[in-house]
């Protein structure tokens, strides 16, 4: 286990929780036991207080007399720890047990008529006593008297201390057992993550191409699904970059051939050739490098402004032919990607549609909770059915495609695929309809 591992964090947190709960349990159980023992002691003292009152009587003059003494040996043995005493209202002794000998219990400072009151006090030989006192008025008595019974509480304190020690020891054993269970639980609970790590190693080494979701617990299976989505995204980026590099290499062949031919010729107009071909090469480099950039799914791009701006631009570009560009986009439609990628895709689709349209081009944008569907339709001649399948095939060179396919369709398909989307071509009545499906985003970030 490493210091910063999840296993260590779980075990440390669980161990501290066990210790804290056990400490609170020890204190609470000890307090409950002490309270129960004290209650039992007070009940016994209450019974002895009644027994003392049963021995007392008042004569016709209101004087207190004792018919007998308590037969309990505890109150006969000197300084036994069990005592009783009766005081008048001024605190003067009227009678007491033999166990007090010539000593006396301290009178309570504040005692009112009513139920007996229990309190702690110090008795003979500095004993810790539990005292129960009650102010009563006997029949024919001239004044109330205070009856007190007491017992040594050291035994109770020893029992409580012993109970706390045994409880602490028992809970310490339970902590050890609980911690062993916790270690087993953490180890068993983290096994799916360890399995995921093992599969990740296989994916990195090429043994697996995806994370299998079957056999994983339901809490980890979604993570495997997200990792698979990330692998798919990475694969799309690799394919997109490779295609862009291949297209760039192919696009540079012709200008390079022209420059080589010019260099081997008489060089009568080499400056004009150099300027035109280098400009062509620069445009190809800019175009295909931009197409080869990775998809940025973190950005959010409102669709309506992009569609409106591109429709206006294409309206001006094709103004000589009198084409009509109609755009219908929901204001709430948002593309989960970069604005540059959306502009590249729509720009190519609109330019291709404008080249082959007879009179009009229409753009429609529809969305649901997860997807955008952008359709660009023209009223041109469309494509032969065989070309609909071939025009977007992987490996078909740009200059090998039919004249009506549009040079930018491959770039549109690559960018859409890098976002997990698709480009579908279909003949309309009349014309060609290109539908690109893209991930929909929430609120736009810029």
């Amino acid at each position: 286990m490493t210091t910063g591992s999840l296993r260590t964090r779980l075990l440390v947190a669980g161990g501290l929780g066990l210790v804290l709960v056990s400490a609170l349990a020890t204190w609470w159980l000890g307090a409950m036991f002490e309270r129960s023992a004290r209650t039992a002691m007070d009940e016994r003292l209450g019974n002895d207080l009644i027994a003392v009152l049963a021995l007392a009587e008042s004569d016709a003059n209101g004087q207190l007399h004792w018919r007998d003494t308590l037969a309990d040996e505890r109150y006969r043995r000197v300084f036994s720890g069990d005592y009783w005493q009766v005081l008048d209202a001024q605190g003067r002794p009227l009678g007491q047990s033999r166990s007090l000998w010539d000593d006396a219990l301290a009178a309570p400072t504040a005692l009112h008529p009513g139920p007996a009151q229990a309190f702690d006090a110090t008795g003979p030989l500095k004993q810790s006593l539990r005292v129960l006192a009650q102010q009563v008025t006997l029949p024919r008595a001239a004044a109330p008297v205070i009856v007190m019974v007491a017992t040594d509480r050291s035994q109770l304190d020893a029992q409580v201390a012993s109970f706390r020690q045994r409880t602490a020891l028992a809970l310490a054993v339970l902590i050890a057992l609980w911690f062993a269970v916790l270690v087993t639980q953490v180890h068993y609970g983290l096994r799916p993550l360890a399995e995921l790590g093992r599969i990740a190693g296989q994916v990195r080494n090429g043994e697996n191409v995806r994370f299998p979701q079957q056999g994983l617990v339901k809490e980890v299976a979604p993570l495997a699904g997200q990792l698979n989505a990330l692998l798919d995204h990475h694969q799309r980026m690799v394919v997109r970059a490779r295609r862009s590099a291949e297209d760039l290499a192919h696009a540079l062949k012709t200008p390079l051939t022209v420059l080589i031919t010019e260099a081997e010729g008489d060089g009568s107009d080499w400056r004009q050739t150099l300027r035109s071909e280098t400009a062509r090469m620069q445009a190809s480099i800019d175009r295909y490098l931009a197409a080869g950039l990775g998809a940025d799914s973190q950005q959010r791009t409102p669709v309506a402004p992009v569609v409106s701006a591109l429709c206006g631009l294409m309206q001006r570009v094709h103004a000589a032919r009198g084409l009509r560009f109609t755009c219908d986009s929901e204001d709430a439609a948002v593309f989960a990607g970069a604005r540059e990628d959306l502009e590249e895709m729509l720009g190519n689709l609109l330019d291709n549609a404008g080249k082959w349209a007879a009179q009009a081009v229409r753009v429609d944008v529809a969305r649901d909770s997860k997807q955008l569907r952008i359709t660009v339709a023209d009223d041109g001649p469309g494509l032969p059915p065989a070309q609909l399948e071939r025009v977007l095939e992987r490996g078909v060179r740009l200059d090998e495609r039919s004249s009506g396919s549009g040079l930018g369709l491959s770039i549109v398909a690559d960018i859409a695929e890098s976002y997990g989307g698709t480009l579908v071509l279909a003949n309309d009545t009349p014309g060609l309809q290109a539908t690109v499906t893209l991930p929909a985003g929430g609120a736009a970030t810029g």
Side-chain angles (χ1 to χ4, degrees), residues 353-383:
K355 288 177 181 179
W356 302 103
Q359 295 180 337
V361 175
R362 179 174 179 83
V363 181
D364 292 295
V365 179
R367 69 181 295 272
D368 55 27
S369 59
K370 294 183 178 180
Q371 286 187 330
L372 289 173
R373 287 186 299 277
I374 304 176
T375 302
V376 179
D378 63 68
D379 58 353
L383 284 173

Side-chain angles (χ1 to χ4, degrees), residues 240-241 244 286-294 341 344 411 414-415:
R240 179 179 175 183
S244 296
D286 292 342
R287 181 179 186 182
Y288 292 110
L289 285 183
L293 293 176
D341 287 338
E344 182 75 17
I411 293 177
D414 289 345
I415 295 176

